[in-house]
Amino acid sequence: MADILDWTNSSLENLDMASFEARAEEMAVRLREETGAGRLPFLTMPYATALKKQLEELKPFLKKFDHMLLLGIGGSALGARALQQAFFPQQDQPGHSGPSLWIADNIDAYALEAYLAKLPPEKTVVVTVSKSGGTIETVGQYFILKKWMQHHLGDEWHKNMLLVTDEKQGFLRGEVETYGITALPVPDNLGGRYSVLSAVGMVPALFLGMDINSLMAGAQEVADQLTTPSLTGETLTEHGSFQLAAWGAALMDKGFDEMIFFAYIPLWASFGDWFAQLWAESLGKEGKGSQPVPALGVTDQHSVNQMFMDGVRNKACLFMTCPNLPTGPKFPADLPDQFSYVRDKDFGELIQAEGLGTRMALSTNGVPLVELRMGADSPRQAGKLIALLGAATILTGWLMGINPLDQPAVELGKRLAKARMNADGLEGEKADLNAFLTADRDLREF
């Protein structure tokens, strides 16, 4: 079944799409230039052939372990978690006895101490993911896990470690060269939030036995149309990513500064968190952007949907569905009369009905909405979704006149945190911290 973008309730008639659509040729030229120069590996995936070979060679190594502890944060973890929950839900179900992926994506002493106390070191592989090799939240945990492995495994500790980092430089690359730790590269020019279909996300996917070839093939099916040297403005206007970009930019011009990602595929809920980083970190710049809001159907019908329906009219919605989800067991026939409408019906019919009802209600209440109707909840479709939304985000940024590939504001908080830990240099940040911490505080007990 085909994957569809349903634009029926997108409010196109109320948006100035023409001014953005008129820039299609400009965008096509920029795509040709950027992909030709190797600056958009998210789309061109020049690393795909080598990565598949590396992953095939990695299989015997990974099969030795029952547990994978992934150390990573942001784009180094969100994609892996989305794939785990979408395609390896059994880990969170009763009686699971297969491989287990644990993701340490925060400075959480409770969780880290639990991993150290309960994971069997000899059957655990620690995967550290940091392109720069300098992300302290990640590398700090690496230091602790390195010491833990050394304590339990002695000189063999490095055989239970795997590093995903820059191919040539950085602290973690130095660890590879010093200790002979198994490693896979993060390609150049591939930012974390765009990296799920590189070794960053594919190593944990391979460990859990996912169909990585289908994931990557689905992405290439969407991206190949954007990376051909013959791309024109006319063909670009027919691509879903550009249509979504023009819609997104036009929405922001009209004051729609929140973008809901409503997932009515329950196992794909974490793609909402992945999208939130992608959209926010790419587009929230120079006083511009729209706030991504992940939501899960039907759970959030009973919580935040009241705000979506009846709050400030500043929200648009990407509404993800799949008409081919499992049907599940049937409702019993001997139900009370007040529930007679579900007698003998498949349990899975209910989420389809709830999704339809919410989609109609949002549209009726003035929320511009595009339905992402996935033909299946398969790895290939997930790859297509990842490529579609990534490309749409890049194009939206270009239409807004900002760089969707950097994250300058995030760096300030990182520098201040390092200054608080008394890192060398950063004298200006240390002075700012001192002024902040010594200022008069308005403190009130509650």
Side-chain angles (χ1 to χ4, degrees), residues 327-350:
T327 56
K330 287 187 177 295
F331 289 103
D334 56 344
L335 296 179
D337 287 346
Q338 70 186 98
F339 303 109
S340 62
Y341 59 93
V342 297
R343 286 175 184 163
D344 285 323
K345 288 188 170 67
D346 293 326
F347 179 66
E349 285 187 61
L350 192 53

Side-chain angles (χ1 to χ4, degrees), residues 62 65-70 84 88 90-93 95-103 115 119-120 123-127 204 207-209:
L62 293 179
F65 304 106
D66 295 333
H67 300 273
M68 175 179 286
L69 177 57
L70 175 64
Q84 176 195 25
F88 202 75
Q90 56 265 49
Q91 183 174 330
D92 297 324
Q93 295 168 353
H96 174 63
S97 59
S100 295
L101 171 67
W102 311 100
I103 300 177
Y115 297 140
L119 286 175
K123 299 298 290 182
T124 299
V125 57
V126 177
V127 179
F207 175 71
L208 296 176

Side-chain angles (χ1 to χ4, degrees), residues 97-386:
S97 59
S100 295
L101 171 67
W102 311 100
I103 300 177
D105 65 343
N106 207 340
I107 305 169
D108 183 350
Y110 288 112
L112 187 58
E113 289 183 341
Y115 297 140
L116 296 174
K118 297 179 180 180
L119 286 175
E122 69 282 354
K123 299 298 290 182
T124 299
V125 57
V126 177
V127 179
T128 306
V129 182
S130 173
K131 165 68 171 172
S132 68
T135 306
I136 189 57
E137 300 90 343
T138 298
V139 178
Q141 293 187 96
Y142 167 77
F143 293 142
I144 293 169
L145 267 297
K146 175 181 175 180
K147 183 176 180 180
W148 180 71
M149 282 293 189
Q150 288 172 334
H151 173 74
H152 288 283
L153 304 181
D155 292 342
E156 302 292 293
W157 69 273
H158 64 283
K159 295 183 178 179
N160 286 47
M161 311 291 276
L162 193 156
L163 302 179
V164 181
T165 189
D166 190 273
E167 191 167 15
K168 299 176 182 177
Q169 60 188 2
F171 171 77
L172 292 180
R173 180 51 56 181
E175 292 287 280
V176 174
E177 295 169 357
T178 301
Y179 300 107
I181 299 172
T182 300
L184 274 78
V186 180
D188 291 340
N189 299 316
L190 189 65
R193 59 190 179 273
Y194 295 98
S195 69
V196 59
L197 295 176
S198 71
V200 172
M202 294 300 94
V203 167
L206 177 68
F207 175 71
L208 296 176
M210 294 177 201
D211 187 349
I212 57 175
N213 289 328
S214 289
L215 279 163
M216 296 174 73
Q220 288 177 309
E221 183 179 336
V222 170
D224 283 353
Q225 303 168 52
L226 299 171
T227 59
T228 173
S230 61
L231 181 70
T232 65
E234 183 178 355
T235 55
L236 183 59
T237 58
E238 298 171 358
H239 198 279
S241 65
F242 180 75
Q243 294 166 5
L244 286 172
W247 181 65
L251 282 167
M252 285 180 256
D253 272 4
K254 278 285 189 177
F256 290 92
D257 55 13
E258 293 187 16
M259 179 63 75
I260 305 162
F261 186 90
F262 221 145
Y264 271 77
I265 307 175
L267 292 182
W268 287 28
S270 286
F271 278 110
D273 298 322
W274 169 81
F275 172 77
Q277 186 204 11
L278 175 73
W279 193 256
E281 203 166 72
S282 298
L283 305 182
K285 293 160 192 170
E286 302 175 19
K288 302 176 183 178
S290 65
Q291 177 66 46
V293 182
L296 173 61
V298 298
T299 302
D300 287 324
Q301 285 178 216
H302 295 264
S303 58
V304 292
N305 203 34
Q306 172 65 34
M307 178 63 75
F308 298 164
M309 296 282 192
D310 205 23
V312 180
R313 292 293 188 266
N314 65 337
K315 299 165 184 65
C317 183
L318 288 169
F319 198 92
M320 184 173 65
T321 66
C322 177
N324 296 309
L325 295 177
T327 56
K330 287 187 177 295
F331 289 103
D334 56 344
L335 296 179
D337 287 346
Q338 70 186 98
F339 303 109
S340 62
Y341 59 93
V342 297
R343 286 175 184 163
D344 285 323
K345 288 188 170 67
D346 293 326
F347 179 66
E349 285 187 61
L350 192 53
I351 194 168
Q352 304 296 347
E354 296 269 14
L356 175 61
T358 301
R359 182 159 48 92
M360 291 179 63
L362 284 167
S363 300
T364 300
N365 281 275
V367 177
L369 179 150
V370 172
E371 182 187 4
L372 286 160
R373 190 183 311 145
M374 310 306 297
D377 58 337
S378 71
R380 188 179 189 91
Q381 269 64 37
K384 292 181 69 175
L385 178 76
I386 290 167

Side-chain angles (χ1 to χ4, degrees), residues 2 9 51 72 83 92 157 197-198 292 357 387 422 430 436:
N9 302 112
L51 176 60
L83 293 175
D92 297 324
W157 69 273
L197 295 176
S198 71
N422 202 30
K430 290 176 182 178
F436 183 82

